[in-house]
Amino acid sequence: MSNTVYKKSDFFYELPPEQIAQTPANPRDSARLLVYDRGRDAVEHRIFRDVCDYLKAGDVLVINNTKVLPARLFAKTVNGGNVEVLLLKRLDIDKWEALVRPGKKCRIGTRLTISDKLSLTVEGITDSGERIVHFSCGGVFEEVLEEVGSMPLPPYIKHKLEDKNSYQTVYAKTDGSAAAPTAGLHFTPELLQKIRDMGVEIVEVLLHVGLGTFRPVKEDIITDHKMHSEYYCVSRQAADAINKAKSEGRRVIAVGTTSVRTLESATGEDGIVRAESGDTSIFIYPPYKFKCVDALITNFHLPESTLIMLVAALTGREKILSLYNEAVREGYRFFSFGDAMMIL
């Protein structure tokens, strides 16, 4: 194990702004795919639907079936002032942790109206300034939210989203995320069926992606960074399937950093995946010994982010930066709606 203490600047790379993808690939599986084979130290440039060429019968492909809530709400104060509310985490049936802007209009006891069916009251303020809000809803909350909410796109996407579903994986099931597990956006139902027909086992886990995903690392020394907490769940069926594969020497391939964080949170030092649920604030950075994940399908992440640090734990810091720089030179599209990378 290396004793290197990394700084956030060790994970910086230059990215021309025009390479930040503003719209998703259409069709989804037409995005580009950079494949890095660690064993051969070889790079190939392909199209995402070619991912089948790098999978084989017996592989387990682990996907995160979380569903993004239209969690961005526009509200009015009793005096007619405008407030933006971003739902972060469900605390109870009608209670949420939320970000509000401007905060000065949202003291404890403040009532905000979103529509004739939906209003909220601020009940508390967390240590980090988020609000605890209690909703009053004239209908089924999820249905009303679907009517009045908009997708909470990352701040680097400036274009208006034409179709809400384009920021949702085709296998999204369980409401609760404030952001999409974006590596999964590249899959189509047809591609998933083709992968199943090859004899690849597709296993679903859950991690609700929080906005902490986009929060910058502020501390200079990365180990001083306090990771955000996110809810995850690994079912008994998923744990059994993955453990069986591992015991038989078959590969576990995670789709996205959220699947990695889920699997590594639920796996003990003995390499056994537990069926469990709870909150994880696992922070993966090099050097790190992976307990479960053998390979990764992911997107290209922001410079100095916890996500590029996680991917660097698979490849090594110098290698991930060289791969990112190659992707920049080759004109790949970056971030949430951008192209993909597969690390074998």
Side-chain angles (χ1 to χ4, degrees):
M1 278 284 187
S2 157
N3 291 320
T4 306
V5 177
Y6 287 113
K7 297 181 175 182
K8 71 172 181 179
S9 56
D10 291 328
F11 297 88
F12 180 78
Y13 66 93
E14 294 282 355
L15 179 68
E18 61 271 18
Q19 282 180 250
I20 299 173
Q22 295 296 315
T23 54
N26 187 18
R28 289 171 183 254
D29 60 1
S30 66
R32 295 172 71 186
L33 177 69
L34 186 154
V35 182
Y36 175 58
D37 184 324
R38 290 176 289 168
R40 296 188 298 118
D41 190 27
V43 175
E44 294 180 50
H45 300 286
R46 304 291 295 271
I47 299 299
F48 190 81
R49 64 180 68 98
D50 300 334
V51 73
C52 296
D53 294 348
Y54 301 93
L55 299 171
K56 56 180 186 280
D59 284 342
V60 174
L61 192 68
V62 181
I63 59 177
N64 178 8
N65 67 14
T66 189
K67 191 173 185 182
V68 187
L69 289 163
R72 193 175 178 210
L73 302 166
F74 298 97
K76 293 275 189 192
T77 65
V78 289
N79 299 322
N82 295 315
V83 176
E84 186 178 337
V85 180
L86 203 51
L87 303 183
L88 298 179
K89 194 174 187 180
R90 193 171 210 153
L91 303 174
D92 206 340
I93 190 75
D94 48 11
K95 195 174 286 190
W96 286 76
E97 184 180 313
L99 271 178
V100 297
R101 280 197 298 257
K104 64 178 185 291
K105 291 185 180 176
C106 297
R107 297 183 174 88
I108 292 173
T110 300
R111 185 176 167 83
L112 300 174
T113 302
I114 295 143
S115 74
D116 56 354
K117 292 183 186 171
L118 194 63
S119 62
L120 66 84
T121 304
V122 178
E123 290 195 340
I125 302 176
T126 69
D127 291 344
S128 50
E130 284 87 11
R131 299 318 195 256
I132 308 301
V133 301
H134 184 275
F135 281 97
S136 300
C137 183
V140 178
F141 180 77
E142 286 75 13
E143 291 175 4
V144 174
L145 196 62
E146 196 65 44
E147 284 173 29
V148 300
S150 54
M151 283 298 190
L153 291 180
Y156 48 75
I157 294 177
K158 311 297 183 193
H159 287 211
K160 188 176 186 302
L161 192 64
E162 296 301 324
D163 175 10
K164 273 184 188 177
N165 288 327
S166 62
Y167 191 58
Q168 202 81 270
T169 63
V170 296
Y171 47 76
K173 279 185 189 170
T174 310
D175 282 323
S177 273
T182 55
L185 295 177
H186 303 294
F187 289 93
T188 63
E190 296 77 18
L191 181 57
L192 287 167
Q193 191 55 51
K194 185 178 177 183
I195 289 168
R196 283 192 192 92
D197 293 345
M198 290 172 59
V200 174
E201 192 174 358
I202 298 177
V203 170
E204 298 182 10
V205 296
L206 174 70
L207 182 137
H208 287 322
V209 190
L211 283 185
T213 294
F214 303 114
R215 286 209 176 112
V217 175
K218 293 199 172 84
E219 290 77 9
D220 189 35
I221 305 298
I222 67 168
T223 49
D224 293 338
H225 175 68
K226 187 178 185 305
M227 197 69 173
H228 55 285
S229 170
E230 293 167 321
Y231 175 81
Y232 74 101
C233 179
V234 178
S235 68
R236 168 53 57 200
Q237 185 182 4
D240 288 350
I242 296 163
N243 287 329
K244 186 171 189 291
K246 295 296 279 186
S247 70
E248 294 171 358
R250 295 186 275 126
R251 293 187 302 178
V252 173
I253 301 165
V255 175
T257 56
T258 62
S259 297
V260 174
R261 294 181 71 236
T262 303
L263 293 172
E264 294 297 311
S265 296
T267 305
E269 293 302 327
D270 56 3
I272 305 295
V273 182
R274 272 72 168 165
E276 62 183 29
S277 62
D279 289 331
T280 180
S281 53
I282 189 171
F283 182 14
I284 297 172
Y285 52 85
Y288 177 84
K289 189 175 188 312
F290 285 86
K291 297 173 289 187
C292 182
V293 174
D294 299 306
L296 172 65
I297 295 168
T298 186
N299 276 23
F300 292 95
H301 305 294
L302 277 74
E304 300 183 340
S305 64
T306 60
L307 303 179
I308 191 174
M309 292 168 192
L310 182 153
V311 182
L314 265 178
T315 64
R317 185 192 73 89
E318 294 81 3
K319 175 51 71 173
I320 202 65
L321 289 177
S322 76
L323 292 170
Y324 269 54
N325 286 326
E326 182 167 345
V328 171
R329 287 193 303 275
E330 293 287 330
Y332 276 69
R333 301 162 77 239
F334 279 64
F335 307 163
S336 295
F337 284 144
D339 295 317
M341 172 190 276
M342 186 173 195
I343 299 168
L344 298 166

